[in-house]
Amino acid sequence: MTTLKSKLHEDLNAAIKERDELRSSTLRLTLAAITKEEVAGKEKRELSDDEVLKVITKEAKKRREAADAFAQGGRPESAEREKAEGELLATYLPKQLSDEELENIVAQAVSEAKAGGAEGPRAMGAVMKIVNPKVAGLAEGGRVAAIVKKHLAG
C-alpha cells in the first residue's frame, strides 16, 4: 500500500520532470514540513497518513492565510501564488464538507448537547466536543465554530 508521503514524493518527482515549478516547490516545502515533524520528537519516526494529512492541512491553511495577507497588502501576484499552492495542497486532503453537510452535523450536535443539559452560548464547548471528531479533517475549525455559534445563538 502506498503511503501518502510516498505519493507526495512520486508527485514531486513527476513535477520536477515536467518542470512544473509551482507543484515541485509546493511539494518540496510540504515534504520538508513532514520531515520536520518526523524529527521533532525525541527520536525520528515515520508519520502515519493521518499525521501527514494534518501537516498538509496546516500547510494549506498557511497558504490561505498568506494569500489573504498578500491580497490585503496589495500584492496580487503573491496572493495568487499562495492561493494556487493552497489549492494544489487541497487536492491531497479529503473533500471538505459542504456548508449544508456541516450545518446538519452541527444541528444534530446542538440537540445532543441540549439533551445533555447544555444550552446557549455556554454550550459551545459541549457542542464542539461532539462535532469535532465527526468533522476532523473535513472542515476547518474556524468554520465549524462559526456555524456552532450561529446555531447556539438561535
Side-chain angles (χ1 to χ4, degrees):
M1 194 188 100
T2 335
T3 63
L4 183 53
K5 187 179 164 190
S6 56
K7 173 152 180 37
L8 290 170
H9 274 292
E10 284 163 26
D11 292 355
L12 172 60
N13 291 335
I16 292 168
K17 280 192 188 111
E18 294 158 20
R19 291 196 158 75
D20 183 337
E21 195 276 324
L22 174 77
R23 252 176 75 212
S24 60
S25 90
T26 305
L27 292 173
R28 232 183 235 120
L29 286 167
T30 305
L31 284 161
I34 291 167
T35 305
K36 188 176 157 199
E37 195 64 32
E38 289 178 331
V39 296
K42 284 191 175 101
E43 44 195 74
K44 190 178 186 320
R45 62 193 182 90
E46 196 70 26
L47 293 185
S48 70
D49 276 359
D50 277 346
E51 292 170 309
V52 169
L53 276 176
K54 279 194 185 115
V55 174
I56 297 174
T57 305
K58 221 183 323 184
E59 290 295 307
K61 184 178 179 194
K62 275 187 206 163
R63 300 305 188 290
R64 271 197 308 279
E65 289 168 352
D68 290 344
F70 281 132
Q72 286 166 5
R75 295 180 50 197
E77 318 73 40
S78 301
E80 278 309 303
R81 168 79 190 206
E82 294 288 339
K83 200 173 147 204
E85 290 184 8
E87 283 164 6
L88 193 149
L89 289 174
T91 61
Y92 292 95
L93 298 170
K95 195 179 156 314
Q96 296 289 294
L97 292 168
S98 70
D99 286 343
E100 195 182 329
E101 292 168 312
L102 192 52
E103 290 273 355
N104 291 337
I105 293 171
V106 168
Q108 204 180 343
V110 168
S111 41
E112 257 178 70
K114 263 194 186 135
E119 274 187 75
R122 286 192 310 270
M124 183 85 185
V127 174
M128 290 301 278
K129 259 190 206 118
I130 300 168
V131 174
N132 280 337
K134 294 181 181 169
V135 300
L138 303 175
E140 221 177 71
R143 210 177 126 212
V144 177
I147 292 180
V148 170
K149 272 191 193 120
K150 192 181 86 183
H151 274 268
L152 290 175

